Each structure stands twice: as C-alpha cells, then as structure tokens.
Amino acid sequence: MGISLDGLASGLDTTALISSIMQSEALPQTLLKNKSYDIQSMVSALQGLNGKVAALATQATAAAKPGALDLYTATTSSDKVVATCTASAKAGSLDFQVTKLAQTQVTVTPKVNAVTGWPYTTMTINSGGQNYTITPASNSLDDVVTAVNAAGAGVTASKVDVGGGDFRIQFTATKSGAAGAFTISDPGTTFTDVKSAQDAELVLWPTSPIAQTTIKSSTNTFADVLPGVTLTAKDVTAAPVTLTVSRDDAGIKKVASDLVDGVNGIFSLVASKTAVNTTTNTSGAKVSAGIFAGDSTVRSVNQNILSAASLPVGTPPRSPSEIGISITKTGTMEFDGTKFAAALAADPAGTTAKVQELAGRIATAATGASDRYTGTLTTKITGQQSEVRDLADRISDWDLRLASRKATLQRTYSGLETALSGMKAQQSWLTAQLAGLSGGGAK
C-alpha cells in the first residue's frame, strides 16, 4: 500500500504541485475550449440572424406575388349588414335590401305529464321529403327524446319543464333555413310551430321594380354577392343599403411599412452585434467588438439587403424615396407614410408595382442568405458547427492525454515519497547503530 502523496517523508504539498503542473499541461486544451465557446457563440448569433432573414424572405416573397397588393375593403351604409372581402374582390358598389332573416324551425308539443308519459307508441317526422318513424323504448319522456335524437331525422328533441310536473318536448331542426323544415304527425296530437323554417332574403336593386332580384340563403350570410365579397345580415333593413368595395389603401400601406420594418429589423440586429463596447473595471477600460465585427459573410448579407431595398425601381428607374421609402445616413431604411399615401393616391398601379419590385429584390437577397440548403448564412453556420464538432473531438482527446499525464505524475511522486521514506528510515537506523557503537567504545 503506497503512502500519501502529501507524505510525511518529503514534507512537500505534492497535490498542489501536480495541480500546478497539470494547469500548465492543460493550457492547449483550455485554448481549444475557449475557441469552441467563441465559435458556438458565433453559431448561436448566426442562427438568430438567419431566422430573421428567413422570416424577411417569407414576408417579402408574399408581398411580391402577383396580386398581393390588389387589396380591397368592403363597407355598407347600414350597421345591420357586415361586409367582408377576400383577395379576389374588385372595386364596385351595389344597392340591396334585407327583407328576411334566416330562421331555424322550432316546434313544441302540448303539455305532457311526466307521470302519465308519452301517450303514443310512435311518431312520424317528415324531413327533407323523407319519413322517419320514431318508436321510443317506453312512454318515458326521456326515452322519447333519446329516440328522436338517435333517428337521424334532421331534428333534435329536448324536454322542457313548464312547471307543475308538466313538460313540453321541443323539436329543433338541425339545419337553418327552409331546407331544415319538418313536420311531425302523431294521432290526436297538435304540434305548434314556435318558429317556422325560413331562408334569409336579399333584394338586389330594390328601387327598380323591373331590375330587382331576390336571392336567398339558408343562413344570414350571402357569399360572393360581388366577387370576393360576403354579406352577413344582422337584421332586416327598412331602406336600401349600399355596398361599396374600394381599394384598401391602409392595407397596402401596411404591407409596405411592414416590409421596411422587416428590413430594419435585420440592420438593427447586425448593428447591435457589431458595435464596439467599452467596459471599465479595476483593471481599467476594456474595449471589445461585437461578435459580428469584421465578419465578411454578415457584412455581405447586410449590404445585399440594403441594396435591394434602396436601389432605384420602375421604368425608367426612380428612387424609392419618391414613394416614401428612403435610406438614412445611418444605413437603415425609413418609411414616410404621408408621402406613400400621396404617391398611392396619384398613381396606384405604379406605386404598388414599385413596392412589389422592391419586395421581389428583398426576397431574392434574403433567400440567398437564408436558404436552408444553399444560403450563405446557412453554409457558414454548417461550417462552424462542423468545426465545433472537430474541436469537441480534440478536447476529448486531451482529456485522455491529461488523465494519463496526471496518473504518471502521481506514480512518480508516490515513488519518490516511498524512496525518500525508505532512505530516511535507513538514515535513522544507521544513526542509531553509530550512536550504539560510539556508546560501547566509551564504556
């Protein structure tokens, strides 16, 4: 059994000595770890940038699609009718009047006593031109309701407590409008329609007896009254209502403004991770550059997007500043909403075409950087990740090498302690022998 490294033989703190040697031996591995950390930080930053550039590519691609800025909004002159638009809507107007709202048929039975129960063994429901014979399991009102609901007759039944131990069974069509109409026949029973099945009715051109036309809907919604326009009636209208479909200038302006914001989001991220920072501590001032400082790939991506957003557009080429999109002295983009609105009002087609040309160029630049296979940022990230993996292997190799070196040092110092202990023991023995010889001579 070996003695402790921090042994009594030498008096040396060999554990601390070995630790000091190992720190020196581990310096190359420490450098590799620092390098790996720096690269991983760069990968993380590049992934964040790549995500924003990819989002910009998606946004710009959508804005550049044919018809993407053919935006319209629909309004009505009455709060009793709501109009909505789809992408296929075009400018136009239409007069109409809502004369009826859709109704779902509701029919009830006379009072039925819960104790007495349902007085008949069957009932017949006619729905959609088909007869359904309902045979409850018993005269229990609950069994009647269950049988009706299981029959698939286009009718649901509910038991309604009207007090005094009496109930009424309410029958409700599963479809709204005239298509959901039904009849119930049962010997000696009179059923009362609380609400009749009814389609909603819309009269087009109501002021012209010759032109007026009635259209119906089983719901209160009328789709594609004008292409891409849906009307939803909330109430009948006493007077004609005017539907107006016009260009959605606010929506077009928002697309352009959002595009500029998306571009500036890239510039802001790059600037924040490129800026030089100065920190002060007890050792004095320390200047450190951002992680993107000096990176040619990031600088190229930034410049390509800036060029795409700021170079002239149209035929003949004109500065985007004419439609309110301009480059600032700090290298970012600026959107002037008032100037854009004026340009859109003066030349709608030309202005939207310029926005789409800008969007197309931005989409190309952003896609070139962020494409999942060939993007310049993607390629750089992949390369850096490969380097991180290589460094991890080299660091792992150093773990084995350092462990072997430490074991060697421990064996060496343990051997030295053992040898020194033996020498001290021998010295003590010799000293004792000499002392004995010296004592014997004197005697």
Side-chain angles (χ1 to χ4, degrees):
M1 182 175 179
I3 63 173
S4 169
L5 289 181
D6 296 326
L8 299 176
S10 67
L12 295 174
D13 186 354
T14 51
T15 298
L17 183 60
I18 291 174
S19 177
S20 178
I21 295 172
M22 290 306 301
Q23 286 180 7
S24 177
E25 295 274 358
L27 184 58
Q29 186 191 49
T30 301
L31 294 175
L32 290 176
K33 287 180 177 179
N34 291 339
K35 184 177 181 180
S36 178
Y37 174 80
D38 290 341
I39 295 175
Q40 288 181 66
S41 298
M42 183 62 158
V43 168
S44 179
L46 287 171
Q47 287 173 330
L49 175 61
N50 198 39
K52 289 186 74 71
V53 174
L56 176 63
T58 300
Q59 176 188 4
T61 299
K65 287 181 179 179
L69 294 185
D70 293 340
L71 304 179
Y72 293 88
T73 183
T75 59
T76 68
S77 60
S78 171
D79 59 3
K80 295 180 179 180
V81 185
V82 176
T84 56
C85 274
T86 66
S88 60
K90 300 296 179 184
S93 65
L94 180 69
D95 291 334
F96 64 90
Q97 187 170 353
V98 180
T99 55
K100 289 183 181 179
L101 292 180
Q103 289 186 167
T104 300
Q105 181 177 338
V106 176
T107 299
V108 298
T109 65
K111 292 181 181 179
V112 182
N113 188 269
V115 175
T116 305
W118 189 251
Y120 310 105
T121 56
T122 64
M123 75 172 72
T124 300
I125 298 177
N126 183 284
S127 175
Q130 183 176 349
N131 286 329
Y132 297 84
T133 300
I134 313 297
T135 305
S138 73
N139 71 338
S140 163
L141 300 185
D142 290 329
D143 283 345
V144 173
V145 168
T146 299
V148 172
N149 290 338
V155 176
T156 59
S158 303
K159 187 175 71 172
V160 182
D161 189 345
V162 295
D166 291 332
F167 294 83
R168 285 190 174 187
I169 296 181
Q170 174 178 294
F171 301 89
T172 305
T174 56
K175 293 181 181 178
S176 64
F182 62 89
T183 59
I184 304 176
S185 59
D186 221 335
T189 302
T190 302
F191 295 88
T192 302
D193 290 340
V194 177
K195 283 199 304 183
S196 300
Q198 175 179 288
D199 285 338
E201 291 187 358
L202 200 71
V203 179
L204 306 178
W205 311 291
T207 59
S208 172
I210 297 175
Q212 65 178 230
T213 302
T214 300
I215 58 176
K216 298 182 178 183
S217 171
S218 61
T219 67
N220 291 319
T221 298
F222 297 82
D224 292 326
V225 178
L226 288 179
V229 180
T230 295
L231 296 174
T232 302
K234 298 190 290 183
D235 201 351
V236 297
T237 57
V241 178
T242 299
L243 164 68
T244 303
V245 184
S246 56
R247 189 179 67 241
D248 185 5
D249 287 358
I252 297 171
K253 177 181 173 182
K254 186 176 187 306
V255 171
S257 176
D258 288 350
L259 190 62
V260 172
D261 287 344
V263 168
N264 281 334
I266 304 299
F267 299 157
S268 176
L269 178 60
V270 171
S272 69
K273 292 188 178 297
T274 304
V276 175
N277 299 310
T278 302
T279 56
T280 304
N281 53 34
T282 54
S283 302
K286 180 181 178 182
V287 179
S288 58
I291 197 166
F292 287 160
D295 189 275
S296 60
T297 300
V298 172
R299 184 168 59 250
S300 176
V301 169
N302 198 77
Q303 184 56 51
N304 289 344
I305 293 175
L306 179 61
S307 297
S310 60
L311 290 177
V313 289
T315 306
R318 306 295 294 269
S319 170
S321 63
E322 293 187 358
I323 61 170
I325 300 175
S326 57
I327 187 172
T328 69
K329 62 182 180 181
T330 60
T332 60
M333 300 303 298
E334 184 176 62
F335 182 78
D336 186 332
T338 302
K339 195 170 185 179
F340 182 85
L344 186 62
D347 182 12
T351 301
T352 55
K354 289 174 182 177
V355 172
Q356 290 203 286
E357 184 179 343
L358 286 174
R361 292 195 320 217
I362 293 170
T364 299
T367 301
S370 63
D371 182 86
R372 61 184 301 182
Y373 299 111
T374 61
T376 53
L377 287 174
T378 306
T379 302
K380 185 176 180 68
I381 291 170
T382 302
Q384 299 257 296
Q385 288 174 328
S386 176
E387 188 170 355
V388 168
R389 288 191 295 270
D390 178 66
L391 286 171
D393 290 339
R394 293 167 64 186
I395 291 169
S396 180
D397 289 342
W398 266 101
D399 284 336
L400 298 175
R401 189 181 307 176
L402 291 171
S404 176
R405 176 58 174 156
K406 184 176 182 180
T408 299
L409 289 171
Q410 288 174 333
R411 287 194 301 271
T412 300
Y413 279 99
S414 178
L416 289 173
E417 285 289 337
T418 301
L420 185 57
S421 177
M423 291 173 65
K424 281 190 172 184
Q426 187 177 33
Q427 180 186 25
S428 297
W429 180 81
L430 288 173
T431 300
Q433 292 299 316
L434 290 173
L437 292 174
S438 176
K443 201 172 189 178

